[in-house]
Amino acid sequence: MRKLFPLMLGAALVASTAACPVQIPKSNPMPKWNEDLRETSGELARRLNDPQVVVLHVGRDRTSYDAGHIPGARFLPLSAIVAERNGIPNELPSVQQLEEAFEAVGVSDNSRVILYGDLQGLLAARAFFTLDYLGHADHAILDGGLEKWRADERAVSTEVPAARPGSLTPRPRADLVVTAEWVRDRLNDTSVVFVDARPAAEFSGATPGDGVTRPGHIPGAHNLFWRDALISETDPRLRSPEVLASAYTLAEASQADTVVVYCRTGVQASHAYYVARYLERNVKMYDGSFIEWSRRGADFPVER
């Protein structure tokens, strides 16, 4: 069994705010990252009128959208892109449902989709993962979301743009999603590293988490709480690639061929998925996540 090494990106945060810069482990080469997956406030402002750009505000409800959104942004409810299956919440729904949901808010094959939304971008990350799953080619998260947009004193609007349905051709990537059985069969596989995106108390089992029947985590997993990838709750921009890559290196992800992310139901893991994609890692999602794992039998062990 691989050595358990729970790690929080908060450790990298402490290092990054100290007098000395973050020390990247010597075994870690200069990190790679994909800036096409991260849109800045200034970049979006310059192309708001581009007809190929579709801006989506993702939320559980319309409260924050109706209070003021990026001009031209369309509202995408989280409920349109998740479903409950066999008692497990926040699973991927059918490809047809996803196609209809994204087409309804104007997404087409040639769209550049910019995502932002509630909960410091967490729900935008779920939409990002879903577009990856559908095989869409060009989508990114607005770095810092509406918080950074407002901080930059850019205009917001309460107008709801006219509906312009898109034309999307799904090319589902089933390889991005793994099952409990797939995970179980690779618990001792050193080419795979498991990243648990939940808070530390849920990872350790001190706090079970709603719906979790056996507290703890998947054996050998590493704890990288999704929110620690952000500068702060009030400034939800990504930390530097160097800080993010350092944390992933310490979590042994740089030595693994495949990163598998999970959380309680798959939403927090979507942000970890996004960070891994940003760092150009080969990443997969265990969408059933720990709420499913904890409900399985003894063949699916739990570590505390």
Side-chain angles (χ1 to χ4, degrees):
M1 181 74 62
R2 197 167 346 132
K3 181 181 178 183
L4 176 65
F5 189 75
L7 173 72
M8 297 292 288
L9 267 171
L13 164 60
V14 172
S16 67
T17 54
C20 298
V22 175
Q23 297 299 310
I24 307 300
K26 291 182 180 179
S27 61
N28 186 36
M30 288 301 294
K32 298 186 296 182
W33 64 92
N34 186 349
E35 278 299 316
D36 288 342
L37 306 184
R38 186 181 70 100
E39 184 93 346
T40 68
S41 166
E43 288 168 341
L44 179 57
R46 287 191 291 273
R47 51 183 174 186
L48 267 186
N49 295 321
D50 184 336
Q52 287 192 315
V53 172
V54 176
V55 183
L56 300 182
H57 179 129
V58 190
R60 293 189 186 278
D61 58 51
R62 297 180 62 98
T63 302
S64 61
Y65 177 81
D66 290 341
H69 50 263
I70 293 173
R74 298 156 192 182
F75 178 71
L76 176 66
L78 179 66
S79 60
I81 59 171
V82 297
E84 182 172 319
R85 185 178 300 112
N86 300 322
I88 309 298
N90 298 326
E91 296 285 274
L92 284 166
S94 70
V95 170
Q96 180 180 349
Q97 180 178 329
L98 292 173
E99 177 186 356
E100 293 172 353
F102 282 107
E103 284 187 336
V105 290
V107 175
S108 296
D109 292 339
N110 64 347
S111 298
R112 165 72 171 170
V113 183
I114 307 301
L115 303 153
Y116 76 96
D118 300 344
L119 302 179
Q120 296 91 47
L122 182 60
L123 305 189
R126 182 64 190 190
F128 178 94
F129 160 70
T130 306
L131 284 168
D132 259 16
Y133 168 73
L134 287 176
H136 186 266
D138 191 5
H139 44 281
I141 289 180
L142 177 63
D143 198 29
L146 189 60
E147 295 90 338
K148 184 66 169 65
W149 184 269
R150 288 181 180 273
D152 290 343
E153 299 183 346
R154 304 194 190 280
V156 296
S157 173
T158 56
E159 291 186 20
V160 177
R164 290 185 302 167
S167 178
L168 182 63
T169 307
R171 298 175 178 86
R173 295 192 56 195
D175 61 300
L176 294 183
V177 184
V178 301
T179 65
E181 288 77 13
W182 189 99
V183 171
R184 179 195 59 196
D185 293 345
R186 290 163 177 79
L187 289 179
N188 296 313
D189 186 344
T190 56
S191 70
V192 178
V193 65
F194 298 101
V195 169
D196 186 320
R198 295 176 297 163
E202 292 186 31
F203 176 81
S204 70
T207 301
D210 187 32
V212 170
T213 58
R214 292 183 294 157
H217 55 265
I218 293 173
H222 299 265
N223 188 205
L224 295 173
F225 180 38
W226 75 270
R227 195 178 289 148
D228 286 337
L230 307 178
I231 292 175
S232 71
E233 291 189 46
T234 56
D235 184 4
R237 288 177 294 161
L238 277 183
R239 296 197 173 282
S240 72
E242 291 80 10
V243 170
L244 298 174
S246 179
Y248 268 69
T249 296
L250 292 172
E252 299 178 359
S254 62
Q255 288 78 43
D257 297 328
T258 303
V259 177
V260 176
V261 296
Y262 75 94
C263 58
R264 189 180 68 87
T265 69
V267 175
Q268 295 172 94
S270 297
H271 199 277
Y273 173 93
Y274 170 69
V275 172
R277 281 272 282 116
Y278 177 66
L279 294 175
E280 299 191 342
R281 300 311 315 276
N282 178 33
V283 58
K284 299 179 184 293
M285 167 78 75
Y286 172 28
D287 208 26
S289 279
F290 200 69
I291 196 170
E292 178 191 43
W293 185 272
S294 75
R295 295 177 181 179
R296 304 294 288 265
D299 287 343
F300 300 84
V302 168
E303 194 165 53
R304 296 188 67 169

mmCIF file of all heavy atoms in Angstrom, residues 13-23:
data_model
loop_
_atom_site.group_PDB
_atom_site.id
_atom_site.type_symbol
_atom_site.label_atom_id
_atom_site.label_comp_id
_atom_site.label_asym_id
_atom_site.label_seq_id
_atom_site.Cartn_x
_atom_site.Cartn_y
_atom_site.Cartn_z
ATOM 1 N N LEU A 13 0.353 27.677 1.017
ATOM 2 C CA LEU A 13 -0.066 29.055 1.287
ATOM 3 C C LEU A 13 0.843 29.685 2.323
ATOM 4 O O LEU A 13 1.294 30.813 2.181
ATOM 5 C CB LEU A 13 -1.516 29.060 1.775
ATOM 6 C CG LEU A 13 -2.012 30.346 2.454
ATOM 7 C CD1 LEU A 13 -1.897 31.516 1.497
ATOM 8 C CD2 LEU A 13 -3.438 30.180 2.936
ATOM 9 N N VAL A 14 1.125 28.943 3.410
ATOM 10 C CA VAL A 14 2.011 29.479 4.443
ATOM 11 C C VAL A 14 3.358 29.823 3.843
ATOM 12 O O VAL A 14 3.927 30.883 4.077
ATOM 13 C CB VAL A 14 2.165 28.460 5.589
ATOM 14 C CG1 VAL A 14 3.235 28.925 6.561
ATOM 15 C CG2 VAL A 14 0.841 28.295 6.311
ATOM 16 N N ALA A 15 3.871 28.907 3.026
ATOM 17 C CA ALA A 15 5.172 29.151 2.416
ATOM 18 C C ALA A 15 5.137 30.357 1.501
ATOM 19 O O ALA A 15 6.075 31.150 1.456
ATOM 20 C CB ALA A 15 5.629 27.915 1.645
ATOM 21 N N SER A 16 4.040 30.525 0.758
ATOM 22 C CA SER A 16 3.980 31.593 -0.227
ATOM 23 C C SER A 16 3.835 32.956 0.402
ATOM 24 O O SER A 16 4.138 33.961 -0.216
ATOM 25 C CB SER A 16 2.815 31.343 -1.187
ATOM 26 O OG SER A 16 1.585 31.467 -0.526
ATOM 27 N N THR A 17 3.359 33.002 1.656
ATOM 28 C CA THR A 17 3.172 34.298 2.295
ATOM 29 C C THR A 17 4.312 34.617 3.259
ATOM 30 O O THR A 17 4.315 35.660 3.891
ATOM 31 C CB THR A 17 1.846 34.331 3.061
ATOM 32 O OG1 THR A 17 1.800 33.211 3.963
ATOM 33 C CG2 THR A 17 0.672 34.250 2.109
ATOM 34 N N ALA A 18 5.269 33.703 3.381
ATOM 35 C CA ALA A 18 6.415 33.950 4.238
ATOM 36 C C ALA A 18 7.400 34.863 3.535
ATOM 37 O O ALA A 18 7.240 35.221 2.373
ATOM 38 C CB ALA A 18 7.084 32.618 4.596
ATOM 39 N N ALA A 19 8.489 35.231 4.264
ATOM 40 C CA ALA A 19 9.462 36.161 3.696
ATOM 41 C C ALA A 19 10.157 35.565 2.489
ATOM 42 O O ALA A 19 10.544 36.264 1.567
ATOM 43 C CB ALA A 19 10.493 36.531 4.769
ATOM 44 N N CYS A 20 10.350 34.237 2.504
ATOM 45 C CA CYS A 20 11.025 33.583 1.397
ATOM 46 C C CYS A 20 10.002 33.067 0.404
ATOM 47 O O CYS A 20 8.894 32.708 0.779
ATOM 48 C CB CYS A 20 11.864 32.418 1.905
ATOM 49 S SG CYS A 20 13.182 32.953 3.040
ATOM 50 N N PRO A 21 10.352 32.988 -0.860
ATOM 51 C CA PRO A 21 9.425 32.439 -1.849
ATOM 52 C C PRO A 21 9.224 30.949 -1.628
ATOM 53 O O PRO A 21 9.983 30.291 -0.929
ATOM 54 C CB PRO A 21 10.116 32.717 -3.181
ATOM 55 C CG PRO A 21 11.565 32.791 -2.836
ATOM 56 C CD PRO A 21 11.623 33.398 -1.464
ATOM 57 N N VAL A 22 8.174 30.416 -2.246
ATOM 58 C CA VAL A 22 7.896 28.993 -2.148
ATOM 59 C C VAL A 22 9.079 28.214 -2.692
ATOM 60 O O VAL A 22 9.624 28.525 -3.745
ATOM 61 C CB VAL A 22 6.630 28.640 -2.961
ATOM 62 C CG1 VAL A 22 6.413 27.133 -2.961
ATOM 63 C CG2 VAL A 22 5.432 29.352 -2.373
ATOM 64 N N GLN A 23 9.498 27.177 -1.959
ATOM 65 C CA GLN A 23 10.588 26.331 -2.406
ATOM 66 C C GLN A 23 9.998 25.140 -3.154
ATOM 67 O O GLN A 23 9.338 24.292 -2.571
ATOM 68 C CB GLN A 23 11.417 25.850 -1.208
ATOM 69 C CG GLN A 23 12.097 26.987 -0.446
ATOM 70 C CD GLN A 23 13.071 27.749 -1.316
ATOM 71 O OE1 GLN A 23 13.920 27.137 -1.972
ATOM 72 N NE2 GLN A 23 12.986 29.057 -1.332
#
